[in-house]
Amino acid sequence: MGKYKGKNQRVMKRDFKQSRPDKWSEKSRSQPERSEYNNELFVEYYKKQGVVPEGQWDEFMEVLKTPLPTTFRINGTGKFATDLRDKLESDFLSNFNKDPIMVAGETLQPPRPLPWYSNKLAWHMSFSRGQLRKLPILAEIHELLKRENEAGSITRQEAVSMVPPLFLGVEPHHRILDMCAAPGSKTAQILEMLHAGTMMPTGIVVANDADAQRCNLLAHQTKRMCSPALIVTNHDATMYPIVTDHTAKESILFDRILCDVPCSGDGTIRKAPDIWRRWTPGNGNGLHPLQLRIALHACQMLKVGGRLVYSTCTFNPVEDEAVVAEVLRMTGSAMQLLDLSDHLPGLSRLPGLKKWYARDKIQYYSNWEEASQNGPHKLTKSMFPDAESDKLPLERCMRILPHHSDTGGFFIAVFEKVAKYPQPVPKQEAAAAGTKRPRPQEPEPVIASNFNGTAQTAEASAEAPAVAVAADAAAMTDPADTAALAAAVAANQRADAVLHNGTSEAAEPGIKLETSSTSGRQENSITAAVVASSVITADGMAPGVVDAGEGPAAKRAKHTDVAEADGSTVPVATSSAPLAPTPVPTPAAAGPSDAQDDKTGPPQWGVRGGGGRNRGVGGRFKGLDPVVPVTDPEILSSISDFYGIAKDFPLWDQIITRSLEAGRPKRLYFVSSGVKHLLQNDDREALKVTMTGLKVFERQELKDGEQMCRYRIVQDGLPLLLPYVTRQVLQPTVQEFLNLVEGRSLYVPEEARAVPAGMGTAAAAAAAGDSAPVVMDGASVANDVATDQEVKLEAEDQSNEANAAGDGAEPAGAEPQKPRHTPEDSHTLEQIRNLKHGCCVVMLREGEAASLGLDTSKQTEDALSVHAPLAVAAWKGKGSINILVSKGMT
């Protein structure tokens, strides 16, 4: 152990007897002082590059040393967005239209809309944190922004970060890929554009990031948009997989691709001042090859006629113009640089550079010939301009400088693909540019294993079954073991007949085989038992033989009984691999929709993800939540009948769950037709999906009585379902609706109580002799609901929703609560009487809401769920109606 070297070196436990004060101070902050906002190499480098126009350098540096202003945008484009903008202007920002406001001797600059963002839906505020704490009106604005940002109505986003999606030209039918999407503000902006129409978009947004933790942040950010047309994936952007459309026999390419690539980030220096201390030219030099590989791979995944936006948050031309020039050189005439200087006329920008320098640790170089003569260094040919780049229209690139509009720094280039680009990157050019050619996506081989543990191809296994039987039988002395081996081989042969011939003719009577191909793997489910043949998949998984009716102890046994046609059982030898749980029903069991022929259409939509130890029925990428199509007729029929779901809603085709408990899924998610098409064609599971689908239903458990429907509507999915729900809808008066939202419950009077269909005998008897309820506030529930049927709500906000649904009692010593509101309108009481016990939808009446300027039509104006008409999910008990929305959402 090293010698202790003084009291200031806190290493061992005794060093911490005198703890440090737990409070913040100016001296303890990690950010550098304003006097430290300087870097001589930074100044020298960008003066040499000529990035800043002559005469503007001092202003440029002065603005870089000031804090970045707060900017936000109002989500969406419909009436909801304009109403929120008008309310913001009238209630909060109107105070700045009067006399100037002074804080600590400084005059506050009033908030202003960004001049280049349409309809004044993006705003700029230059308030410091100290000013926000000192002035009440500013504190109110700050709280409003936090609340609306959490609700999904606005997004706090840097102004220049809003620009790249505006150049994509997104339309509702487009398939869009955001290759480096985290943290997700641009992805949310793209989703708004995709949902700009009045109908559900047929296009999709695929948001990708290489870091799994950042994917979680990305999912959290985009979850607020409540879109079923989103897929979040976790891949290296330089090797993003390309999926094949099995019907069209071609690759599934993208209409729009955003490449907001990783960069040195000196354009964000106003919000990350520590960049001053650690900035060097080597940061950009090291990232240049990665940026180039991402951009080139994006060109391959783009459709002809599609648009690619390349962007960085750096001023460095090695990361900006050098990448753009190399992309144009390597793709030939397939990619063109678009001139969008007339787009967004209020946006201040500079044209791209034609000449720039690259620098190593020693000196600057103007061309590759000069740099290559000075020995080894970390520079590549693609970093330099040349005679060919002089002819390229690099002036069509756009660079945004902070001092022009009080923003951060950004670089944007917009490409259009005008011809096919199938050719791979040549080896010589790839080596010079520091790139690697992407590997072709070859089908994964299916490997079979014989009983000796050696692996062989499926073809070889099919050719010599008798040899394997003879060899293994010769080694066995027990007749029972020999019979078990023969039965196992017969089961394998029956499975092979199904897998290779697409028919179950080889199966014995009484045994039903259902197959589905997922990730080069075939899963067989047998009526009486599940026989997982000894087939090792490409990812190394070897499913065992599982009896669907046996427990864990039986699953660990070396032999498993398989039912024969006459009802007898035969023990089958299994491998020592982990055994699979009860299998998920195959998509063939889906409801009334007609299944497509696998030979002419896309593959069957089976289980993907969720693989790993003891999860043999899952797909690839162990550790990820699986994507499992929900096809149980009992579940879907009960939902359709209870809520009166219209026939044009694709309930039977586009509902998934993220759990392998397919027989009793906890949550049900809806995916758009575009998402289903992509996942269905990705039968090899090339895409590592971390999140997809909009949660629409959630399972509930009632402790007493029968249930007509075990699933309630989730508030996130209500706007999507609202146009298709024809039953269980309550439309009270405006005042009754407000009473429900504010008090979180309504008391149902005796004359409006009807014995709900489906209630148990005990519950019906309790309803007949029910006394007046014990009245409580919105956080608790009346005792009459507790004596009826208590709902176990398994949602993320379980405590709030469970209390609202009737699971709880008044705490001891609680203060007397105000009486709950009781509806008195005769039409409202009649509607309540006709409601069945369970989940319902409460929304305003059209006539009364229209007089208040509120939208009550079931169809959202901009097809974005977060901007849906005013409606809430509620629970109708025999004595009360309680909303199923957390307090934060109301």
Side-chain angles (χ1 to χ4, degrees):
M1 180 180 292
K3 185 178 180 181
Y4 180 64
K5 297 182 180 180
K7 62 180 180 180
N8 293 328
Q9 191 171 5
R10 299 159 62 90
V11 177
M12 305 186 68
K13 183 177 181 180
R14 63 173 179 266
D15 302 332
F16 294 86
K17 291 182 179 179
Q18 295 181 350
S19 60
R20 294 171 178 170
D22 187 17
K23 62 180 181 179
W24 180 87
S25 65
E26 288 285 341
K27 295 182 180 180
S28 63
R29 67 178 187 172
S30 60
Q31 296 292 352
E33 298 284 349
R34 180 178 170 84
S35 59
E36 301 175 9
Y37 286 3
N38 193 26
N39 186 312
E40 294 182 0
L41 190 56
F42 178 91
V43 174
E44 174 191 298
Y45 185 83
Y46 283 118
K47 279 188 174 181
K48 179 77 172 178
Q49 300 289 8
V51 169
V52 181
E54 187 176 355
Q56 300 182 19
W57 180 261
D58 292 340
E59 183 183 4
F60 169 74
M61 289 295 295
E62 183 63 26
V63 171
L64 283 185
K65 298 177 182 180
T66 60
L68 189 67
T70 299
T71 51
F72 68 92
R73 57 180 178 81
I74 300 173
N75 297 338
T77 57
K79 187 177 184 297
F80 180 93
T82 56
D83 288 347
L84 181 58
R85 177 203 62 196
D86 296 341
K87 182 176 179 58
L88 184 67
E89 288 187 285
S90 60
D91 294 355
F92 294 94
L93 305 182
S94 59
N95 297 290
F96 295 91
N97 297 331
K98 304 173 184 178
D99 298 332
I101 299 177
M102 304 291 294
V103 176
E106 298 181 2
T107 302
L108 292 181
Q109 297 294 327
R112 57 180 175 83
L114 296 178
W116 43 267
Y117 207 99
S118 62
N119 299 325
K120 298 198 297 185
L121 294 179
W123 288 76
H124 171 285
M125 298 187 302
S126 56
F127 306 136
S128 66
R129 295 185 178 181
Q131 292 171 338
L132 288 174
R133 289 191 292 264
K134 292 178 181 178
L135 195 62
I137 182 61
L138 297 183
E140 292 179 10
I141 295 177
H142 185 61
E143 290 299 323
L144 172 70
L145 295 182
K146 291 194 299 182
R147 183 172 64 251
E148 296 299 328
N149 181 76
E150 185 65 24
S153 301
I154 69 170
T155 297
R156 299 178 65 179
Q157 183 179 359
E158 188 178 349
V160 289
S161 178
M162 305 177 192
V163 176
L166 299 178
F167 287 108
L168 282 172
V170 173
E171 297 180 11
H173 63 275
H174 282 163
R175 188 183 295 118
I176 306 119
L177 173 62
D178 191 351
M179 298 189 72
C180 310
S185 56
K186 298 182 187 68
T187 305
Q189 195 175 353
I190 294 172
L191 280 170
E192 295 174 20
M193 301 175 184
L194 187 73
H195 287 267
T198 58
M199 303 299 292
M200 178 60 60
T202 56
I204 62 171
V205 175
V206 180
N208 176 72
D209 200 88
D211 187 87
Q213 292 184 347
R214 285 172 63 85
C215 283
N216 294 333
L217 175 61
L218 174 61
H220 175 75
Q221 286 282 74
T222 54
K223 181 181 178 182
R224 301 175 301 123
M225 308 309 297
C226 301
S227 172
L230 171 68
I231 302 176
V232 177
T233 61
N234 177 212
H235 287 283
D236 182 352
T238 63
M239 297 181 289
Y240 197 86
I242 300 177
V243 178
T244 300
D245 189 327
H246 293 274
T247 302
K249 306 300 181 183
E250 61 184 10
S251 299
I252 298 179
L253 303 179
F254 293 90
D255 301 280
R256 299 289 187 268
I257 297 180
L258 174 61
C259 290
D260 188 41
V261 297
C263 64
S264 56
D266 48 33
T268 66
I269 202 168
R270 297 181 67 183
K271 67 177 181 181
D274 60 310
I275 295 178
W276 285 109
R277 294 183 299 202
R278 53 185 175 84
W279 186 93
T280 66
N283 297 340
N285 295 344
L287 287 170
H288 171 86
L290 173 65
Q291 295 161 343
L292 182 56
R293 291 200 302 270
I294 294 175
L296 288 173
H297 190 48
C299 294
Q300 292 180 333
M301 293 189 293
L302 188 66
K303 283 183 179 180
V304 175
R307 183 175 292 188
L308 166 66
V309 173
Y310 175 85
S311 63
T312 70
C313 52
T314 178
F315 310 114
N316 195 344
V318 173
E319 303 176 69
D320 298 340
E321 284 90 348
V323 174
V324 173
E326 186 67 8
V327 168
L328 293 175
R329 284 191 290 253
M330 298 187 71
T331 59
S333 58
M335 303 296 294
Q336 290 186 355
L337 200 58
L338 299 182
D339 182 7
L340 297 179
S341 57
D342 57 344
H343 193 60
L344 304 180
L347 179 65
S348 299
R349 71 200 92 173
L350 294 175
L353 302 175
K354 286 279 193 177
K355 296 290 184 181
W356 61 90
Y357 299 87
R359 189 187 192 280
D360 59 12
K361 292 184 178 180
I362 302 175
Q363 67 183 69
Y364 293 91
Y365 304 96
S366 61
N367 57 73
W368 171 244
E369 289 73 18
E370 179 184 359
S372 60
Q373 296 175 0
N374 289 289
H377 43 64
K378 294 185 178 180
L379 302 180
T380 62
K381 184 178 181 180
S382 60
M383 296 180 181
F384 295 90
D386 56 15
E388 186 178 356
S389 66
D390 292 341
K391 303 176 184 179
L392 300 176
L394 297 181
E395 68 279 357
R396 297 179 179 177
C397 301
M398 295 165 278
R399 178 175 280 106
I400 301 174
L401 298 182
H403 65 288
H404 287 166
S405 301
D406 195 14
T407 63
F410 228 77
F411 175 87
I412 304 164
V414 184
F415 298 89
E416 182 179 1
K417 189 172 184 178
V418 295
K420 289 185 178 181
Y421 173 52
Q423 67 274 17
V425 180
K427 285 186 177 180
Q428 296 80 3
E429 297 181 18
T435 64
K436 295 181 179 180
R437 291 188 295 174
R439 287 185 176 184
Q441 299 292 331
E442 296 293 341
E444 298 178 357
V446 178
I447 305 298
S449 174
N450 61 21
F451 288 92
N452 291 325
T454 58
Q456 56 186 357
T457 63
E459 291 77 3
S461 178
E463 290 175 358
V467 177
V469 173
D472 289 307
M476 293 183 179
T477 58
D478 189 351
D481 292 339
T482 306
L485 174 61
V489 172
N492 277 333
Q493 291 175 344
R494 292 194 297 268
D496 288 340
V498 175
L499 301 180
H500 293 91
N501 303 326
T503 177
S504 58
E505 294 178 357
E508 294 183 8
I511 299 181
K512 179 182 178 182
L513 295 178
E514 296 177 358
T515 64
S516 61
S517 175
T518 303
S519 189
R521 215 168 30 251
Q522 287 80 16
E523 300 172 356
N524 307 324
S525 63
I526 303 181
T527 303
V530 180
V531 178
S533 59
S534 301
V535 177
I536 299 179
T537 63
D539 53 7
M541 297 177 60
V545 179
V546 181
D547 187 345
E550 294 293 333
K555 293 179 181 180
R556 291 192 297 266
K558 290 293 182 179
H559 296 82
T560 302
D561 293 342
V562 176
E564 292 291 337
D566 58 358
S568 61
T569 58
V570 176
V572 177
T574 64
S575 67
S576 59
L579 300 181
T582 303
V584 178
T586 61
S593 59
D594 294 330
Q596 288 184 317
D597 187 0
D598 290 334
K599 297 181 180 180
T600 58
Q604 281 191 337
W605 194 18
V607 182
R608 58 179 299 123
R613 178 177 294 181
N614 296 329
R615 303 180 73 179
V617 297
R620 293 183 63 191
F621 304 121
K622 56 186 178 182
L624 289 180
D625 290 338
V627 177
V628 184
V630 177
T631 58
D632 190 338
E634 181 180 355
I635 294 176
L636 299 178
S637 296
S638 65
I639 293 174
S640 178
D641 296 341
F642 186 77
Y643 298 106
I645 304 297
K647 293 182 179 180
D648 55 341
F649 182 76
L651 181 69
W652 293 87
D653 299 324
Q654 295 167 220
I655 297 293
I656 65 169
T657 183
R658 303 304 307 275
S659 170
L660 290 174
E661 298 178 334
R664 195 167 169 263
K666 184 176 182 180
R667 298 181 180 94
L668 305 183
Y669 299 81
F670 177 81
V671 295
S672 68
S673 58
V675 170
K676 178 186 176 182
H677 176 263
L678 181 61
L679 297 183
Q680 188 174 10
N681 282 280
D682 183 26
D683 57 333
R684 294 177 54 245
E685 292 191 57
L687 295 178
K688 188 177 180 181
V689 178
T690 63
M691 192 274 284
T692 189
L694 171 63
K695 186 167 64 173
V696 288
F697 297 105
E698 188 157 358
R699 191 184 71 224
Q700 64 190 25
E701 296 292 344
L702 300 185
K703 296 182 180 179
D704 182 28
E706 301 175 359
Q707 291 181 249
M708 299 188 65
C709 179
R710 294 184 177 273
Y711 290 87
R712 63 180 179 87
I713 296 177
V714 179
Q715 185 66 30
D716 290 347
L718 176 58
L720 173 72
L721 295 171
L722 196 57
Y724 305 97
V725 175
T726 61
R727 299 173 188 165
Q728 294 295 103
V729 178
L730 174 62
Q731 291 184 301
T733 63
V734 173
Q735 187 58 48
E736 291 168 342
F737 185 87
L738 294 177
N739 291 340
L740 174 62
V741 174
E742 294 174 358
R744 303 187 58 78
S745 65
L746 288 177
Y747 170 63
V748 178
E750 290 287 346
E751 60 270 21
R753 300 186 187 182
V755 178
M759 284 185 60
T761 305
D770 187 31
S771 58
V774 178
V775 181
M776 314 169 88
D777 67 349
S780 303
V781 207
N783 286 339
D784 65 322
V785 181
T787 57
D788 179 16
Q789 298 185 21
E790 298 180 4
V791 182
K792 181 183 177 183
L793 299 172
E794 300 174 343
E796 295 173 354
D797 50 351
Q798 181 177 3
S799 58
N800 292 332
E801 295 184 354
N803 288 334
D807 186 13
E810 185 175 5
E815 298 180 359
Q817 305 297 339
K818 298 180 180 180
R820 287 182 297 176
H821 297 283
T822 302
E824 299 178 353
D825 182 77
S826 59
H827 183 54
T828 302
L829 295 176
E830 182 63 25
Q831 292 181 74
I832 295 175
R833 190 178 297 109
N834 293 329
L835 288 177
K836 297 177 182 178
H837 181 79
C839 183
C840 62
V841 176
V842 184
M843 59 184 301
L844 292 173
R845 298 179 186 176
E846 295 185 8
E848 297 185 11
S851 63
L852 300 176
L854 299 176
D855 183 17
T856 59
S857 61
K858 289 188 174 183
Q859 182 64 52
T860 59
E861 185 172 350
D862 60 358
L864 192 63
S865 294
V866 75
H867 293 164
L870 192 58
V872 294
W875 182 265
K876 194 263 182 180
K878 68 180 180 63
S880 65
I881 296 177
N882 305 277
I883 61 174
L884 299 176
V885 181
S886 62
K887 291 183 178 180
M889 297 181 65
T890 57

